[in-house]
Amino acid sequence: MIPAAHMAPDPMRQPRDTHRANWEPHSSPMRTFWHLGRFHVLLPVMALLCLVLSPHVRADTISGTIKDPSGAVVTGARIEISGDNLAQPLLLTSDESGKFAAPDLNTGKYSLRVAKEGFDDLVTTVDLHGTAELPLKLTIATQQTSVTVNEKSTAFANSDAAYRQLRNDGLGDTFLCENFTLPMDVGTFELKSGTITFLAPVNKFQTGAVFVGHGHFTLKPLSALDATEMVRRAGSPTAEEDFTEVVFRFSPDQFSQFAGVLGHKTDTPSEASTAFQHWKDKVRHRHEYPEGLTQALLESESIDNVDADVLASIYNPKHPPFFNAYMHCTSHKDLRFFLRTRVGAIPQIDSPEEVALVNFNGGGMDDGIWYLQHLKSELLAHTASAQQDKRLFATRRYNIETVIGKNDHLFSRATITFEPLVPGERVLKFALLPTLRVTRVSGERGQDLHFIQENRKEDGSFYAVLDEAPAMGQVHSITVEYGGDKVLSNAGSGSYYVGARDSWYPNLNGFGEKALYDLTFKVPPSNVLISVGKLEDQHTEAGFAVTHWVTQIPVAVAGFNYGQYKKMDWSDSITHYEISGYYLPELPDNLRRFQNGALGSMAPGAMTKYALDQARAQMQVCTLYFGRAPYEHLYVTEQPNFNFGQSWPNLVYLPISAYIDSTQRWMLFGQINSRFTGFVQEVTPHEVAHQWFGHGIGWASYHDQWLSEGFAEFAAGLFLQKAVGPKWQKDYIDFWERQRVRILEKNNFGVSPNDAGPLWLGLRLISPRSGQAYQGVTYSKGAYVLAMLRSLMYAENGSSGNPDQAFIDMMHDFMESHREIPASSESFKTIAEKHMTKRMDLQQNGRLDWFFREWLLGTQVPRYSFKYELQPAEGGKFKIHGEITQSEVDENFAMFVPVFADFGDGMMRMGQVPIAGNSTRTFTYVLDRKPKKVAINAYKEILER
């Protein structure tokens, strides 16, 4: 997901094309992460899905254009279409061109009602036979003057006076520029020769400049890890780039950086105008289907509208400073340097790191984030922290009322209650699906507020502009009205694909905070909606099924599933969680061709019982090992998506493949696909575990997302060991072998996920040469880190008779310590050190620096060889002389290798042997009875080549 998503290869592809990927919906950009895992694999799959899901369009269509009396188009008008052939009215909204369309209608008579504030309602009838294109002209409401109403209907969208100046800003004064050096943190701009043209002032503030000529940019990372990553990205530990054009955009307080260049004025060259226009074309354009990591991140639903970001700094002189540079270099045509305090250099990435260098190159082989780190001053002072608060506002509560029309469009009214964290701030930025168009924003007194939302194909993020800075220490609220499509796609037979799972509402801070949610949904009565939170009320109203859901505690995200579901309740007499399952009785359209064959015997009700059994067992295992879950209710829902699952607070989305048994999968695919079988084994326990990891506790930054995905993956393995019965060994060993392969298997470029970089880099591991690195490292290696800590803490005679007790105590402490604050790798390390055993203290300093340096910040993976001799000993006992060799690591690499013996009833752990560097270690055990076999790492719980 991103977060909380688990995705498998589509086994219906050819075997050589099967891959495992994972979707982190994420992070607001988490919803696009599934594009990141393997663009060239998933995009064709999506194209196929689009063909499969596209409904048959009949010729009967009502469409039209809505205009005001002057002939100007009217956006955001509400169109309601009713008729005898419709069980529920269709609800539409006119787009940026004033247009609307209702396809796929039956022949017959229809009534249209068009409503827009400031205008009289327009009602007309249509006798539909084929296509009806309607020119609809609204009349001004009689009680208002034409000027007042026209301004009221159009004046608040993209029309704030200062914003309009920024949006249309032109060039101002030009100065000759010779040998001017501009240091910016770890980056340095040398403007060797040329001109620098400043943008025209806005409200007397300077906010940008354009340099054309000859220059050079240098970025020197401070840390060895960042230098290594720069080598991987740029081929050198230091970025060295010649450029011919740079567009600078900055907060007004950064203008003083250019004081040394304000000397000799000159004429503005035409190249400056061209460079500025090219910059606008780049940053104001959004690819609907991203290519590469940088497009997926920077052009997500929270794409930066640079003019809106600058507006925030104009309205608040104390706005956190920022400085952006967009370079056209000799070797790289779109190299971007960001220095943004407080909000983070790349806000879409869930990190407070303030300095970044991004090569924005779409599907190019060098596309990616080359550098992302805290300020140089913080690094030198050792004050940098992933837990720095990067928010400008803290969300306290969302109250959202949503209507889903028969045409699957959403119409919502959301009241967002927030508290300012930075004095003087007036501009709030939200993540909102670009096809959801805002029609009105109002303040606490009901007054209209300015808002910004450009075309969805442009930099169409949604910003609200407050009339004045809200008082600190107090809560405030705004209300947003919006509507549109693309949140739901009809999969056929009463099932729906639910997209935009974290941006179907104006989401202020994404997964970076938790808030309370009060959610009301009105849907056609034939469908069922299941939401996060607890169901407080349900009734019918005006032909709609109405449900009201409230979260009992703050959560990081709200979402829902939707379709013609059947419900099944499942009791848990041990943990007393309330568990319910929702399944679809019919196959979606893309699988209906199998209903008389491979899937003819599919029994969704019976398989729901199986999924609920798994969910209940995993809830019990996780409660024992990690403590009580934060939610008392769990809704396990089927979705038509075939090969990924996802988890939201108390709401689990399982793929339909989890409801297909092994025989049916064999008949469906014509083979036993071991990777997909593994996915089906893992997906339910993995997603259930996200109720603890990802939702019970969150993560501080992308560096720490392994604490969610890796821990949930570990919990899936724990489920296979503890919840499937006495013959668990094979499935458990196979699970860890799959993880090992996912980490170390090389792709067609000869690069394994582990080769791409350390676990700490998170999604930055993704590159065109390492498309699966994020999944292989964050999920699988992250799981291994926790498994190895468990192995290190294992005691044959642990407290309470449980050899896992030290590990259990650590995990309970970790959960309890982070229920209110996000977890970081550093804070988890602190908890681990608190509970470490004496033998783990290799450096005799009470710290686990050695372990986390190896597995979080390093990429070494050891190779082991083992041999032993068994000899009789005194008293009828037996002596084992063993020899373990560790290789392919540096001299400081240390590990404890577990030793097992099989006495006829499975492998029993005898102990663990410490070993450091490329060396051989011998050991001796004396046993009471003769083992059939002795082995090291029998259950593959430590990572080795």
Side-chain angles (χ1 to χ4, degrees):
M1 195 147 78
I2 256 124
H6 199 64
M7 187 168 179
D10 185 348
M12 302 178 74
R13 297 170 59 86
Q14 293 298 317
R16 63 183 178 86
D17 287 332
T18 60
H19 298 273
R20 176 181 180 267
N22 299 279
W23 179 25
E24 305 291 330
H26 7 233
S27 56
S28 188
M30 294 310 178
R31 201 184 77 254
T32 64
F33 274 8
W34 67 290
H35 291 291
L36 310 183
R38 180 74 69 175
F39 296 100
H40 60 281
V41 171
L42 290 176
L43 288 178
V45 173
M46 281 306 298
L48 177 61
L49 285 175
C50 290
L51 291 175
V52 171
L53 297 175
S54 296
H56 176 67
V57 179
R58 292 192 289 269
D60 293 6
T61 299
I62 297 176
S63 61
T65 303
I66 301 172
K67 297 182 178 181
D68 66 14
S70 69
V73 299
V74 176
T75 65
R78 178 186 173 97
I79 302 100
E80 179 179 314
I81 303 177
S82 57
D84 293 339
N85 294 324
L86 296 175
Q88 297 291 334
L90 293 180
L91 303 176
L92 304 169
T93 301
S94 58
D95 63 17
E96 296 91 339
S97 303
K99 297 182 180 298
F100 71 93
D104 202 22
L105 297 175
N106 294 321
T107 299
K109 290 185 177 181
Y110 295 88
S111 174
L112 271 72
R113 177 181 295 273
V114 182
K116 176 69 176 178
E117 186 175 5
F119 297 90
D120 289 327
D121 286 1
L122 173 63
V123 179
T124 186
T125 58
V126 178
D127 192 359
L128 185 62
H129 297 277
T131 299
E133 174 70 28
L134 307 177
L136 301 172
K137 183 171 288 189
L138 301 180
T139 58
I140 296 168
T142 56
Q143 69 272 25
Q144 299 182 19
T145 67
S146 59
V147 174
T148 301
V149 171
N150 190 51
E151 287 182 351
K152 189 171 184 60
S153 62
T154 62
F156 292 94
N158 304 324
S159 58
D160 175 271
Y163 175 72
R164 292 299 346 144
Q165 291 183 61
L166 288 165
R167 197 69 176 174
N168 301 320
D169 203 6
L171 302 181
D173 294 334
T174 298
F175 299 85
L176 291 174
C177 187
E178 300 290 334
N179 297 320
F180 177 70
T181 299
L182 180 63
M184 299 298 297
D185 200 74
V186 292
T188 302
F189 298 87
E190 296 179 68
L191 309 184
K192 296 182 177 181
S193 64
T195 62
I196 187 164
T197 304
F198 292 93
L199 305 188
V202 174
N203 284 11
K204 300 181 180 180
F205 291 115
Q206 295 283 357
T207 65
V210 181
F211 171 83
V212 292
H214 299 286
H216 186 80
F217 174 76
T218 301
L219 189 147
K220 296 182 178 180
L222 292 183
S223 75
L225 191 151
D226 289 321
T228 299
E229 177 64 3
M230 187 67 74
V231 170
R232 184 171 81 99
R233 295 293 188 172
S236 169
T238 300
E240 302 282 355
E241 296 285 337
D242 291 325
F243 56 76
T244 56
E245 300 173 3
V246 187
V247 173
F248 300 102
R249 297 306 304 269
F250 43 79
S251 53
D253 56 359
Q254 296 299 297
F255 176 61
S256 61
Q257 302 278 355
F258 294 94
V261 80
L262 301 179
H264 301 290
K265 284 188 178 182
T266 187
D267 293 335
T268 301
S270 61
E271 291 86 353
S273 297
T274 301
F276 189 45
Q277 186 58 50
H278 285 171
W279 173 82
K280 289 181 180 180
D281 293 341
K282 286 187 298 186
V283 301
R284 294 181 181 180
H285 174 71
R286 177 178 179 270
H287 293 82
E288 190 164 357
Y289 300 102
E291 298 181 45
L293 173 68
T294 60
Q295 283 186 12
L297 281 175
L298 301 184
E299 295 183 357
S300 66
E301 56 266 21
S302 56
I303 180 175
D304 288 332
N305 179 326
V306 179
D307 302 305
D309 293 337
V310 173
L311 180 70
S313 66
I314 286 178
Y315 280 152
N316 182 16
K318 296 182 180 180
H319 183 79
F322 65 87
F323 183 94
N324 300 344
Y326 305 80
M327 294 172 276
H328 185 275
C329 301
T330 304
S331 301
H332 302 94
K333 305 308 180 186
D334 193 355
L335 193 63
R336 304 182 181 186
F337 174 83
F338 300 127
L339 195 162
R340 301 180 190 174
T341 59
R342 184 75 187 196
V343 300
I346 306 176
Q348 297 84 354
I349 206 173
D350 285 339
S351 173
E353 293 165 316
E354 298 92 346
V355 186
L357 182 64
V358 177
N359 187 36
F360 193 82
N361 192 25
M365 297 303 291
D366 54 0
D367 175 77
I369 301 171
W370 287 10
Y371 180 84
L372 183 59
Q373 189 52 276
H374 289 276
L375 292 168
K376 180 179 179 180
S377 59
E378 294 179 350
L379 296 177
L380 294 175
H382 303 288
T383 58
S385 171
Q387 294 180 317
Q388 294 172 359
D389 195 345
K390 69 190 190 77
R391 300 171 297 166
L392 300 176
F393 302 88
T395 317
R396 301 305 183 202
R397 176 183 291 273
Y398 292 90
N399 288 74
I400 307 173
E401 299 178 12
T402 298
V403 177
I404 299 178
K406 187 190 175 194
N407 57 349
D408 307 328
H409 285 214
L410 264 70
F411 296 90
S412 294
R413 177 186 175 95
T415 298
I416 302 106
T417 302
F418 60 89
E419 181 180 345
L421 300 179
V422 175
E425 289 299 314
R426 289 180 51 193
V427 179
L428 299 91
K429 181 182 181 182
F430 298 87
L432 183 67
L433 186 70
T435 56
L436 296 174
R437 308 306 296 173
V438 176
T439 56
R440 185 176 186 237
V441 179
S442 56
E444 291 173 306
R445 302 186 305 275
Q447 78 279 18
D448 283 280
L449 297 177
H450 286 281
F451 64 92
I452 298 166
Q453 189 186 36
E454 299 291 345
N455 186 288
R456 69 180 181 86
K457 295 183 179 180
E458 298 177 355
D459 48 348
S461 287
F462 166 50
Y463 296 74
V465 183
L466 305 178
D467 287 339
E468 59 184 5
M472 297 291 291
Q474 300 178 19
V475 294
H476 308 266
S477 66
I478 63 171
T479 297
V480 182
E481 299 174 29
Y482 62 97
D485 59 359
K486 305 301 184 184
V487 174
L488 293 171
S489 298
N490 194 328
S493 302
S495 59
Y496 292 82
Y497 298 102
V498 181
R501 296 186 183 185
D502 57 351
S503 59
W504 63 273
Y505 60 95
N507 193 329
L508 185 55
N509 290 312
F511 283 88
E513 68 178 3
K514 293 183 179 181
L516 294 169
Y517 287 81
D518 187 306
L519 307 169
T520 300
F521 296 92
K522 299 180 180 181
V523 305
S526 58
N527 290 326
V528 174
L529 187 142
I530 311 102
S531 170
V532 302
K534 181 181 179 182
L535 180 61
E536 297 288 351
D537 179 50
Q538 55 184 330
H539 60 274
T540 58
E541 177 184 310
F544 285 96
V546 182
T547 55
H548 180 209
W549 308 77
V550 178
T551 60
Q552 306 299 303
I553 60 174
V555 298
V557 67
F560 61 89
N561 211 349
Y562 180 72
Q564 293 181 8
Y565 284 102
K566 303 295 184 183
K567 183 184 179 185
M568 183 180 298
D569 291 321
W570 217 240
S571 62
D572 185 351
S573 60
I574 297 176
T575 61
H576 305 290
Y577 298 112
E578 297 182 26
I579 305 173
S580 299
Y582 293 82
Y583 66 92
L584 298 163
E586 301 292 334
L587 291 171
D589 286 350
N590 64 329
L591 293 178
R592 288 187 68 82
R593 63 185 184 275
F594 302 109
Q595 67 181 350
N596 294 322
L599 302 182
S601 60
M602 185 174 176
M607 290 304 291
T608 297
K609 294 179 181 179
Y610 175 70
L612 291 175
D613 264 337
Q614 284 191 310
R616 177 173 59 188
Q618 181 67 326
M619 295 288 282
Q620 293 170 359
V621 169
C622 289
T623 299
L624 171 62
Y625 272 80
F626 313 130
R628 187 79 184 170
Y631 319 112
E632 295 302 318
H633 301 81
L634 183 69
Y635 310 125
V636 180
T637 66
E638 178 188 355
Q639 61 179 357
N641 309 72
F642 195 83
N643 61 336
F644 84 88
Q646 196 171 42
S647 186
W648 260 204
N650 76 273
L651 174 62
V652 171
Y653 304 82
L654 290 183
I656 193 171
S657 56
Y659 296 79
I660 300 173
D661 64 32
S662 57
T663 301
Q664 293 160 347
R665 290 198 302 273
W666 179 82
M667 294 175 64
L668 189 63
F669 309 141
Q671 61 177 341
I672 297 297
N673 186 306
S674 60
R675 290 190 177 187
F676 196 78
T677 298
F679 163 74
V680 173
Q681 278 186 330
E682 299 167 22
V683 64
T684 299
H686 176 103
E687 300 307 337
V688 170
H690 272 306
Q691 299 303 304
W692 281 261
F693 307 118
H695 296 305
I697 57 174
W699 60 92
S701 79
Y702 70 96
H703 293 301
D704 314 303
Q705 203 161 353
W706 68 280
L707 300 173
S708 170
E709 295 300 349
F711 284 21
E713 193 78 342
F714 166 85
L718 190 64
F719 169 87
L720 293 175
Q721 184 186 36
K722 297 295 183 180
V724 299
K727 296 182 179 180
W728 53 271
Q729 289 85 352
K730 182 180 184 304
D731 285 344
Y732 186 66
I733 292 171
D734 288 347
F735 170 85
W736 286 112
E737 175 62 14
R738 284 195 299 273
Q739 308 307 317
R740 191 189 71 83
V741 170
R742 290 165 184 167
I743 298 166
L744 299 176
E745 186 176 52
K746 294 186 181 296
N747 60 19
N748 293 336
F749 293 102
V751 178
S752 73
N754 191 68
D755 295 335
L759 177 58
W760 184 82
L761 281 177
L763 66 90
R764 286 173 56 195
L765 295 165
I766 297 170
S767 76
R769 289 183 175 85
S770 56
Q772 291 296 308
Y774 170 76
Q775 290 83 0
V777 174
T778 301
Y779 283 67
S780 298
K781 191 173 183 180
Y784 253 115
V785 169
L786 193 57
M788 289 187 289
L789 280 174
R790 182 191 179 200
S791 177
L792 292 174
M793 302 177 82
Y794 191 90
E796 283 72 29
N797 297 302
S799 60
S800 303
N802 187 342
D804 270 334
Q805 195 59 50
F807 176 77
I808 291 172
D809 291 343
M810 177 186 73
M811 295 307 295
H812 279 238
D813 192 1
F814 177 57
M815 290 295 302
E816 289 301 320
S817 300
H818 293 86
R819 289 194 185 275
E820 304 298 328
I821 58 172
S824 69
S825 300
E826 292 82 1
S827 67
F828 173 66
K829 176 175 175 285
T830 299
I831 295 293
E833 289 169 344
K834 178 180 174 182
H835 294 272
M836 64 189 286
T837 62
K838 185 176 181 180
R839 69 182 167 210
M840 294 167 67
D841 192 7
L842 290 181
Q843 297 171 298
Q844 298 298 302
N845 60 1
R847 299 174 64 87
L848 287 171
D849 297 344
W850 67 272
F851 180 85
F852 285 89
R853 182 177 59 247
E854 291 172 3
W855 298 109
L856 179 66
L857 303 179
T859 59
Q860 297 181 82
V861 176
R863 187 182 301 279
Y864 293 108
S865 62
F866 174 61
K867 59 183 180 180
Y868 70 95
E869 292 180 353
L870 188 63
Q871 297 176 345
E874 295 181 1
K877 296 183 179 181
F878 295 87
K879 183 180 291 187
I880 297 173
H881 294 285
E883 182 180 289
I884 302 174
T885 299
Q886 177 175 267
S887 60
E888 300 185 30
V889 294
D890 66 28
E891 62 182 5
N892 296 314
F893 188 96
M895 195 58 198
F896 289 84
V897 182
V899 180
F900 295 80
D902 182 2
F903 297 97
D905 51 358
M907 285 290 183
M908 295 181 59
R909 181 164 168 147
M910 308 305 299
Q912 46 189 327
V913 177
I915 188 168
N918 294 305
S919 63
T920 298
R921 183 71 182 267
T922 60
F923 65 90
T924 300
Y925 288 137
V926 177
L927 307 177
D928 291 333
R929 51 184 173 147
K930 183 178 180 179
K932 295 174 60 178
K933 181 180 180 182
V934 180
I936 61 171
N937 198 22
Y939 293 117
K940 299 185 179 294
E941 294 167 313
I942 65 171
L943 181 57
E944 62 172 310
R945 293 192 181 277

